[in-house]
Amino acid sequence: MTENPLPVSIADDENGLDRRDFLKIMGVTTIGLPLAGFTGFNAQGVSFVVDPNDATATSAAVQWAVGELETTLKAKGIAVQHCTSIEKAATNNLCIPVVGSTGDAGIMVLKKAGAVIPATAEAMGLVPAMHGVRSIIIAAGFDGRGLIYSLLELTDRVNYSATPLTAMHVSKPVIEQPLNKVRAINRMFCSDIEDKPWYNDVEMWPKYLTMLATQRFNRFNLTLGIGYDFLNGVTDGYFLFAYPFLLSVPGYNVHVPQLPNAERDQNLKMLKFISEQTVARGMEFCLGIWMHGYEWIKAPNANYTIEGLTKETHAAYCRDAIKLLLQECPAISGVTLRIHGESGVTEGSYEFWKTIFGGVATCGRVVPINLHAKGLDPEMLNNALASGMPVSVSPKYWLEHIGMPYMQAEIREPEIPKPNKKTSKLMNLSEGSRSFTRYSYGDFLKEDRKYQVIHRIWSGTQRFLLWGDPVMGAAQSRAFNFCGGDGVDLMDPLSFKGRRGSGIAGDRCAYEDMALRPRWDWEKYLYSLRVFGRTLYNPDTDNDVWNRFLRKDFGIGANGAQQALAHATRILPTVLTAHGESAANNAYWPEMYSNMSIVAVLRDQIGDTPSPHMFGAVTPSDPQLFLSKNDYAKELVTGKHSGKYTPLEVAQWLDDEADAADRNLLLAAKAPNKTKPEYRRLTIDVAMLAGLGRFFAAKFRSGILYNIFEQTGDRVALAEALKQYKAARGHWFKLANKAKGVYMKDVTAGESPWLRGHWLDRLPGIDKDVERMSAMLDGTQPNDIRQSAAIAAVNTCLSRTKRVAAKCSHQQLKTFKQGSALTLQLAFEKAPAAVRLRYRHVNMAERFETVDMKATGNSYVATIPAAYTQSQYPLAYYFEVEEGPAAVTLYPGFNELRNNQPYFVIRQA
């Protein structure tokens, strides 16, 4: 076939040199010619063309990527040739010039109809072109990493195709660039029993790291010392205070008496190996050292302890240890430090941490320092910057969980600093004046900041069940760019498995069914990490990237599988957003939920929910935009509404996602082989997630109805609450039995009963609370006359409702000028009764301000004062539109897919 002419050109570099000569070296014609017969059908092999003068193309990491493509082609029976010009390529081979920039003076840009590879780090391109009458594919990159991505994209296409040469065909340029600078994944060592095998697996690491590079993660974090939050009751001390598990520091006799020297030396050897293998694939390797405490407290059963260290030598030893470690492992390109009290060091110990920063700064090379944001104050941050090393700060994204794909608008009440609050000495900042940094971006998004902000996703909401939704992934990708954010660090799906001494030998994925166990735990999450990594790089990634993977195991059921998992993936983040029983991952686990009572105070482990600790009183994780069950019940009874998203709306969202997941599972069932473990893993987990969605939907309705009963005494409300609770129980019974025989009887993410066990273990707690509510109903007399407010409230809870969007428009300004008043206008087709503007600096230390907007015809206007814009922060704002007391909505609010930012943000000019 013949296509339209394809112009391919090379831009001049900054010194005015014409770069066309570069392609001429390889014999590439840089004028538009028709692409004749470019399908790969007639090719017999593949020829790689690499200019020996191209320092990028000949670099070790790029040549590794060439090798990956070559290995994959040969495994498919395709012959491979290497040459330095197209003329030397075999006539019948598909020719792939590997093109990078040749020097610092300029970059290579390939065009087709004006399309170019952006002058952006990590930008990549696959460009079809002509050499005489011969069609070729140019694999290009702005830099080495971009070129690696081009080659690995071809490798991925070949790997998942039965016709590999055809799979490499591109009819038009594929040109991509990263949205997020930092795309990191974080693997944690938490368990002596469960984590030693993968840490020491020299066969696993190359395959795992290759997968990460293919999905365009550009940083791998290995985290040590996070097995415990505090040093009380330690039983598993392996790598908890990491240094003496890796090396012996001259001048100190610090050691682990239970650890043979040979094992210590092997640990260091493996760390070198892992870091070098990471760098060989064009990624950065960062080491997290989260614990600097060394004295276990009330820990008679600890398997490993530290000896030879004193308070007097503590800081100096840590300084010298981190310096030596960085010198012994030159492939380490960054370190992460937890500096709040859970590090084992009292908050405010500025001199201690200055000493540690000094160890990093004097190791002999530039090593960026990443600081965990909790408890971080300006003095500590400035001390890190003063070290001369690049600094980044990592706040938690959605507490220690995962919520809907936007930056939460507000923190919960427990995180708001309170004057004269009593705190422990150890946690005097993160529990006191800096409490707002615990679970949010805090005050770190100043416009003039001198550090990067890299958000971190904690593993709390969902630990074991599969996930993967390109729509949600794309929205998250954009959220991490919030106010100039630099990216994200994702804690590995199985983070905290076996934590705090709860490790169990066997399968880390916790499968009882042997047929479902992958060889390596991460292989279960290949699709999850594909979606997350690729959307982080490019939120507009082509749908074929997902389909090609799923077609391998699902055939014609691939699209059904993709959609089923996508809808199921949205369920638990929605639950977390609307219902935040605890910000801590070690107290709240929605995936294997320990039932919180609707009718009694029972769960003492929940320390950060409002009193009384009952289901209806639990606040949303974003209380600015969402209502609790009790607050919504009050709105229903009084008829006065805030416009916030209600738990009834959320319940409907959950039911809708569960229904969509189930419908698409029927389409996934068209897969030709339903016995494959990949098919069974996905369909089982999706069915369980759908069950979780229906459970929480019914329980949310029950909680609302129960509080209506508490407010009005309406027995019908109580009876309907019981019906919903029994329905929730039924959903849990079904999903728990779905997991029976599939997952182990004791799935562990910690030692506490709510962090381990099985879904079936949670049924007795649900049953007891259903019985309490049933007994309460039996003891409640029917109402002689029901209140009209109660009748209306109950009817609302039992009906399907849909929010009416505000019919208005708002022209958002791109920027504002610091110290100048900012006037905002909202225009309507028909003027509503009232409009309120809510605004705040993008600073979680502050609360939203409210101003009534003034009507001007069919528009409403309000002004943010100049004194308020005299700030270092961007502004966030949204509108409350009131048609009447019972008809209030938010603007912009969520779209139909709920994949947008539901408020406006404006940056400073």
Side-chain angles (χ1 to χ4, degrees), residues 323-398:
K323 177 180 178 179
L324 180 60
L325 184 57
L326 293 173
Q327 291 171 338
E328 290 287 333
C329 298
I332 296 176
S333 50
V335 293
T336 293
L337 301 172
R338 172 171 60 177
I339 51 80
H340 64 82
E342 291 173 31
S343 69
V345 179
T346 300
E347 291 175 1
S349 299
Y350 301 108
E351 290 304 315
F352 176 87
W353 291 108
K354 282 174 68 175
T355 304
I356 306 303
F357 301 153
V360 177
T362 57
C363 75
R365 66 182 188 279
V366 175
V367 178
I369 298 171
N370 172 249
L371 297 176
H372 183 49
K374 181 176 177 179
L376 182 63
D377 67 355
E379 183 172 354
M380 187 70 74
L381 184 52
N382 287 333
N383 286 343
L385 290 166
S387 71
M389 296 294 102
V391 174
S392 61
V393 174
S394 285
K396 295 171 183 174
Y397 175 73
W398 281 110

Side-chain angles (χ1 to χ4, degrees), residues 427-695:
M427 309 287 288
N428 63 86
L429 291 171
S430 61
E431 292 179 354
S433 63
R434 301 293 292 174
S435 62
F436 63 91
T437 65
R438 296 181 69 174
Y439 304 118
S440 74
Y441 56 71
D443 57 355
F444 298 114
L445 291 175
K446 295 178 179 179
E447 295 282 19
D448 60 348
R449 58 185 180 267
K450 299 177 181 178
Y451 48 85
Q452 286 188 317
V453 174
I454 303 167
H455 300 278
R456 182 167 286 129
I457 299 179
W458 283 60
S459 178
T461 304
Q462 188 168 335
R463 306 178 196 267
F464 292 93
L465 301 180
L466 274 172
W467 50 271
D469 174 17
V471 171
M472 183 175 175
Q476 287 174 328
S477 177
R478 295 183 176 100
F480 301 136
N481 238 229
F482 182 78
C483 293
D486 296 283
V488 70
D489 176 25
L490 171 70
M491 288 188 172
D492 192 80
L494 294 174
S495 296
F496 303 145
K497 177 68 173 74
R499 193 174 186 230
R500 303 204 295 197
S502 66
I504 297 174
D507 182 52
R508 285 191 83 229
C509 294
Y511 281 120
E512 182 177 301
D513 187 337
M514 299 288 288
L516 295 177
R517 295 183 176 184
R519 179 179 180 187
W520 292 303
D521 57 78
W522 50 270
E523 291 179 306
K524 172 177 177 174
Y525 304 98
L526 285 172
Y527 182 72
S528 305
L529 297 175
R530 172 179 289 258
V531 170
F532 193 83
R534 292 297 292 265
T535 54
L536 264 186
Y537 178 88
N538 177 13
D540 298 315
T541 294
D542 191 276
N543 199 53
D544 181 64
V545 173
W546 330 126
N547 279 341
R548 78 172 73 126
F549 177 87
L550 292 171
R551 281 196 299 266
K552 181 177 181 180
D553 297 314
F554 288 84
I556 61 172
N559 188 62
Q562 178 187 332
Q563 293 301 319
L565 184 57
H567 286 287
T569 296
R570 300 167 196 171
I571 287 171
L572 289 179
T574 301
V575 171
L576 183 281
T577 303
H579 185 79
E581 287 190 14
S582 176
N585 79 88
N586 56 15
Y588 179 35
W589 185 10
E591 181 184 51
M592 194 186 289
Y593 180 64
S594 292
N595 196 57
M596 186 178 228
S597 174
I598 294 177
V599 301
V601 178
L602 296 173
R603 290 188 61 196
D604 294 335
Q605 80 270 17
I606 301 298
D608 58 346
T609 58
S611 182
H613 298 320
M614 296 167 63
F615 187 79
V618 172
T619 61
S621 298
D622 186 351
Q624 190 66 30
L625 301 182
F626 287 81
L627 284 170
S628 70
K629 272 63 67 183
N630 287 0
D631 287 343
Y632 179 54
K634 183 177 180 181
E635 288 193 358
L636 286 175
V637 171
T638 62
K640 297 179 180 179
H641 292 262
S642 63
K644 293 182 180 181
Y645 290 91
T646 73
L648 189 61
E649 287 177 282
V650 174
Q652 191 61 61
W653 296 345
L654 296 173
D655 277 338
D656 289 347
E657 298 292 4
D659 291 345
D662 282 347
R663 285 196 305 272
N664 281 284
L665 277 182
L666 297 177
L667 300 177
K670 295 179 180 179
N673 186 353
K674 300 181 186 60
T675 63
K676 294 185 74 170
E678 293 82 4
Y679 175 90
R680 292 184 59 216
R681 287 188 205 119
L682 184 145
T683 55
I684 289 168
D685 285 5
V686 166
M688 290 179 65
L689 286 165
L692 285 166
R694 293 193 175 96
F695 166 81

Side-chain angles (χ1 to χ4, degrees), residues 198-335:
W198 60 255
Y199 180 82
N200 290 293
D201 192 337
V202 294
E203 188 178 358
M204 182 211 80
W205 281 110
K207 293 179 171 60
Y208 173 66
L209 294 167
T210 295
M211 179 272 295
L212 294 182
T214 301
Q215 306 317 332
R216 303 188 188 173
F217 290 93
N218 62 4
R219 180 177 295 181
F220 173 66
N221 287 340
L222 178 64
T223 292
L224 307 177
I226 200 171
Y228 289 81
D229 298 322
F230 300 99
L231 297 178
N232 296 289
V234 171
T235 58
D236 184 355
Y238 206 93
F239 272 141
L240 187 54
F241 180 62
Y243 301 123
F245 284 88
L246 293 165
L247 38 75
S248 175
V249 182
Y252 304 88
N253 186 29
V254 179
H255 63 285
V256 181
Q258 301 86 355
L259 184 76
N261 290 344
E263 184 172 345
R264 179 200 64 204
D265 296 343
Q266 177 62 23
N267 285 342
L268 181 63
K269 182 179 179 181
M270 279 307 304
L271 183 61
K272 289 181 179 179
F273 174 78
I274 298 165
S275 59
E276 290 165 358
Q277 288 290 310
T278 303
V279 171
R281 286 154 177 77
M283 295 186 290
E284 298 174 0
F285 177 89
C286 293
L287 182 67
I289 305 175
W290 282 58
M291 180 62 72
H292 276 81
Y294 62 94
E295 293 180 299
W296 311 166
I297 302 169
K298 296 180 181 179
N301 299 316
N303 55 358
Y304 295 92
T305 57
I306 309 299
E307 290 186 0
L309 198 55
T310 66
K311 292 180 180 179
E312 291 73 23
T313 59
H314 185 200
Y317 167 79
C318 292
R319 175 199 62 209
D320 294 344
I322 199 169
K323 177 180 178 179
L324 180 60
L325 184 57
L326 293 173
Q327 291 171 338
E328 290 287 333
C329 298
I332 296 176
S333 50
V335 293

